[in-house]
């Protein structure tokens, strides 16, 4: 039995390290198996370099038809699992066909890499960046090793950031105006606003403000839409009267918000909404939804 187990052991150990791995910021990344690992953080146009070590198992040599490293940006739909759409694909050949008898180390570098989209793990889709090392061995079966990393891209403060003013009305029964201080927010921002009751002829029981994320994947008849309620914030408990105003102050930092993603590589979109929910004494619900834009602001250390 031990002989059989030995036949399936890898012929070598492959390790991938980044040049500045010890000083570069590390962020959590959730893997397919549900485990969370810490990986390096990059942004578009950065250089990605490092070393790849191949160490044969003691007493063995590795015959190969070449060694290469690829930098891949991939989108995977969960309803089409295992099929990756590569939007970025760069390759560096590291070695010509030959044999490896002892530990061998290769340097690699990808300069000013265009990484236009952020790493994203959603309900039905994920976007990932990975280094893939392949030791090509033909009939013996190639040896492949992966190293994930995360990409985040930052935006400047928007030059125009208009406030949101809207009205909710049921003719002759209810007239509410609500106002949010702006329409674009970063993930550590605060939503500040006010709600004015201009006419109240129905008995309201309570009012909540929700943050919702809507993820759309696919296209045409193959479109999948998932809506998650990320936060629910009680604005009011009890009946308001005409002329009353209620302040809103909602901190976004406790919630894991990604930036708004619009039609990423024609595969998926992620949008955020503020959803105002009013409930009357007969448990009828009234909704008013407004899209907001989330952008990632450069963090100051």
């Amino acid at each position: 039995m031990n002989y059989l187990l030995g036949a399936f052991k890898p012929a070598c150990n492959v390790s991938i390290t980044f040049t500045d791995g010890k000083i570069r910021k590390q962020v959590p990344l959730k893997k397919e198996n549900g485990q969370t690992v810490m990986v390096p953080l990059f942004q578009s146009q950065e250089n990605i370099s490092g070393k790849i070590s191949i160490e044969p198992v003691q007493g063995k040599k590795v015959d190969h038809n070449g060694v290469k490293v690829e930098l891949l940006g991939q989108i995977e739909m969960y309803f089409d699992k295992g099929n990756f759409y590569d939007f970025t694909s760069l390759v560096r050949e590291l070695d010509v066909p030959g044999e490896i008898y002892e530990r061998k180390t290769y340097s690699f570098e990808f300069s000013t890499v265009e990484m236009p989209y952020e790493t994203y793990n959603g309900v039905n889709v994920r976007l990932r960046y990975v280094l893939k090392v392949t030791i090509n061995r033909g009939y013996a079966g190639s040896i492949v090793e992966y190293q994930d990393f995360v990409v985040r891209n930052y935006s400047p403060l928007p030059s125009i950031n208009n406030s949101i003013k809207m009205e909710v009305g049921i003719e002759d029964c209810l007239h509410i105006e609500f106002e949010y201080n702006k329409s674009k927010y970063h993930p550590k921002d605060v939503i500040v606003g006010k709600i004015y009751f201009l006419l109240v002829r129905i008995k309201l029981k309570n009012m909540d403000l929700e943050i919702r994320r809507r993820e759309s994947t696919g296209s045409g008849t193959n479109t999948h839409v998932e809506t998650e309620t990320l936060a629910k914030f009680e604005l009011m408990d009890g009946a308001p009267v005409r002329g009353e105003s209620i302040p809103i102050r909602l901190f976004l930092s406790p919630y894991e918000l990604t930036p708004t993603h619009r039609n990423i590589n024609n595969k998926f979109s992620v949008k955020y909404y503020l959803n105002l929910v009013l409930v009357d004494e007969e448990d009828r619900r009234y909704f008013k939804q407004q899209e907001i834009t989330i952008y990632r602001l450069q963090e100051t250390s």
Side-chain angles (χ1 to χ4, degrees):
M1 186 65 183
N2 286 338
Y3 292 114
L4 192 60
L5 284 170
F8 292 104
K9 283 186 178 175
C12 61
N13 295 314
V14 181
S15 65
I16 306 168
T17 55
F18 293 93
T19 301
D20 55 358
K22 288 184 178 175
I23 56 170
R24 182 170 284 276
K25 183 176 178 179
Q26 306 275 313
V27 294
L29 177 69
K30 198 170 184 181
K31 303 279 280 181
E32 278 182 296
N33 58 11
Q35 288 185 326
T36 299
V37 294
M38 299 300 287
V39 299
L41 174 65
F42 291 88
Q43 66 187 76
S44 190
Q45 303 295 331
E46 281 200 272
N47 295 341
I48 296 179
S49 63
K51 287 186 164 51
I52 291 155
S53 290
I54 299 172
E55 187 168 10
V57 172
Q58 197 168 11
K60 286 190 176 183
K61 67 171 181 176
V62 178
D63 288 305
H64 65 87
N65 298 332
V67 180
K68 66 178 179 180
V69 58
E70 295 168 271
L71 190 156
L72 302 172
Q74 303 179 316
I75 296 172
E76 181 188 27
M77 305 290 191
Y78 291 149
F79 55 79
D80 190 16
K81 210 162 179 61
N83 279 338
F84 291 96
Y85 302 91
D86 293 352
F87 57 85
T88 293
S89 179
L90 303 170
V91 64
R92 297 284 181 271
E93 299 291 343
L94 300 176
D95 208 347
V96 294
E99 296 169 340
I100 301 174
Y101 294 93
E102 57 188 1
R103 182 186 175 101
K104 196 168 183 181
T105 301
Y106 305 91
S107 296
F108 70 90
E109 180 170 8
F110 297 94
S111 301
T112 55
V113 184
E114 184 75 36
M115 296 178 285
Y117 311 126
E118 282 211 0
T119 302
Y120 176 74
N121 277 317
V123 180
N124 283 321
V125 62
R126 71 168 170 155
L127 188 152
R128 71 168 187 170
Y129 289 90
V130 69
L131 289 174
K132 177 184 178 184
V133 175
T134 306
I135 304 169
N136 195 333
R137 298 201 304 160
Y139 294 117
S142 295
I143 297 169
V144 180
E145 183 72 25
Y146 295 95
Q147 172 63 53
D148 287 283
F149 60 95
V150 164
V151 171
R152 289 180 185 166
N153 291 321
Y154 302 95
S155 305
L157 280 167
S159 54
I160 298 171
N161 198 348
N162 296 324
S163 61
I164 300 172
K165 290 184 181 179
M166 294 186 71
E167 295 185 5
V168 181
I170 303 165
E171 200 172 347
D172 296 331
C173 297
L174 181 68
H175 188 185
I176 298 171
E177 278 184 1
F178 59 94
E179 186 177 336
Y180 305 119
N181 61 332
K182 48 193 179 184
S183 52
K184 298 170 185 172
Y185 299 88
H186 59 81
K188 302 275 170 67
D189 222 332
V190 184
I191 294 173
V192 177
K194 259 189 182 172
I195 294 173
Y196 305 94
F197 292 89
L198 305 176
L199 177 66
V200 186
R201 286 191 183 149
I202 51 177
K203 291 186 175 177
L204 293 174
K205 188 166 64 172
N206 63 293
M207 178 165 60
D208 296 324
L209 182 65
E210 298 173 339
I211 301 173
R212 290 187 168 189
R213 175 162 56 212
R214 185 177 297 163
E215 176 190 286
S216 310
T217 51
S219 58
T221 53
N222 211 15
T223 302
H224 297 251
V225 178
E226 290 283 344
T227 302
E228 298 171 88
T229 301
L230 304 178
K232 195 170 184 179
F233 181 70
E234 188 177 73
L235 297 175
M236 178 194 78
D237 186 12
V241 295
R242 181 181 173 184
E244 195 170 352
S245 74
I246 295 175
I248 299 169
R249 194 169 183 84
L250 177 56
F251 290 84
L252 298 180
S253 52
Y255 314 108
E256 289 186 18
L257 303 183
T258 69
T260 296
H261 296 304
R262 299 192 192 279
N263 198 21
I264 299 298
N265 213 48
N266 293 324
K267 297 292 181 207
F268 72 96
S269 296
V270 180
K271 295 180 180 179
Y272 289 89
Y273 296 87
L274 292 177
N275 192 39
L276 193 64
V277 184
L278 297 98
V279 183
D280 69 13
E281 288 190 337
E282 294 173 28
D283 281 331
R284 286 179 299 207
R285 300 167 77 81
Y286 309 93
F287 302 94
K288 192 70 176 181
Q289 194 163 262
Q290 173 64 37
E291 186 181 352
I292 57 171
T293 299
I294 305 291
Y295 65 95
R296 194 181 295 285
L297 193 63
Q298 181 80 53
E299 294 172 18
T300 51
S301 51

